[in-house]
Amino acid sequence: NAGVTQTPKFRILKIGQSMTLQCTQDMNHNYMYWYRQDPGMGLKLIYYSVGAGITDKGEVPNGYNVSRSTTEDFPLRLELAAPSQTSVYFCATNPGVNTEAFFGQGTRLTVV
Amino acid sequence: QKEVEQNSGPLSVPEGAIASLNCTYSDRGSQSFFWYRQYSGKSPELIMFIYSNGDKEDGRFTAQLNKASQYVSLLIRDSQPSDSATYLCAVTGNAGKSTFGDGTTLTVKP
């Protein structure tokens, strides 16, 4: 039982490049989230999904896109990387409203 | 005003002391409250959750919630060096979305 798996763990991107951060869960949770965490700060919600086929913007969605074609996968897409997107990205799931969140290991992204 | 505010750190306590971490929130409709611990370079992990006013104890940890004052706290008794980490307060409302505070970094000195 792997829980929440994120890939890659580290990535360096050049300005203007694009990439997809992968998130897969085997917990059969409907709710999935993408957060970013800047140094010394808390987690900011980028996008979330309450089930397959349903996504919605969070607090800081600009520059990102998501899709949710299956319960298990919730990839985050960066189309035109900018230095402001340098951060640690966490994918999380929970089984329902007002329940504990389970986090992936994080992806440390640097845009140069 | 931030939606979730935590007492500014860093907080340093000697081993064996009580560490007190505080959090206030602005949304009166908030329904559930979580404390996560995050070691440097790692992902957050749940320490405590609380839904109702009052105290909730789990081992050395006690969460306290006062919805009228929009205040939630975490007490760590008999603090250990392994408790040294950043503690994140999270408040959840509609659709299960959590809003996180910026965290308080705790150092427990042997």
Side-chain angles (χ1 to χ4, degrees), chain B residues 27-87:
Chain B
D27 184 0
R28 285 196 172 273
S30 299
Q31 299 172 11
S32 53
F33 308 86
F34 301 85
W35 284 99
Y36 291 89
R37 178 177 62 198
Q38 186 177 28
Y39 293 115
S40 181
K42 301 295 185 183
S43 55
E45 56 181 348
L46 183 72
I47 295 295
M48 292 281 293
F49 65 88
I50 187 166
Y51 299 143
S52 305
N53 279 330
D55 295 358
K56 180 181 179 182
E57 187 174 317
D58 183 3
R60 297 186 295 112
F61 299 92
T62 299
Q64 299 173 317
L65 175 61
N66 183 325
K67 288 187 177 181
S69 301
Q70 296 173 243
Y71 173 88
V72 59
S73 67
L74 179 70
L75 299 178
I76 307 174
R77 291 181 300 280
D78 188 24
S79 295
Q80 301 297 308
S82 60
D83 295 326
S84 298
T86 296
Y87 290 80

Side-chain angles (χ1 to χ4, degrees), chain A residues 27-57:
Chain A
M27 307 174 82
N28 201 33
H29 290 172
N30 284 325
Y31 293 78
M32 296 189 74
Y33 309 86
W34 274 106
Y35 293 95
R36 59 176 288 172
Q37 185 176 35
D38 299 331
M41 306 294 284
L43 302 170
K44 303 292 185 196
L45 182 63
I46 305 171
Y47 270 94
Y48 67 101
S49 169
V50 300
I54 306 170
T55 63
D56 207 347
K57 296 178 180 179

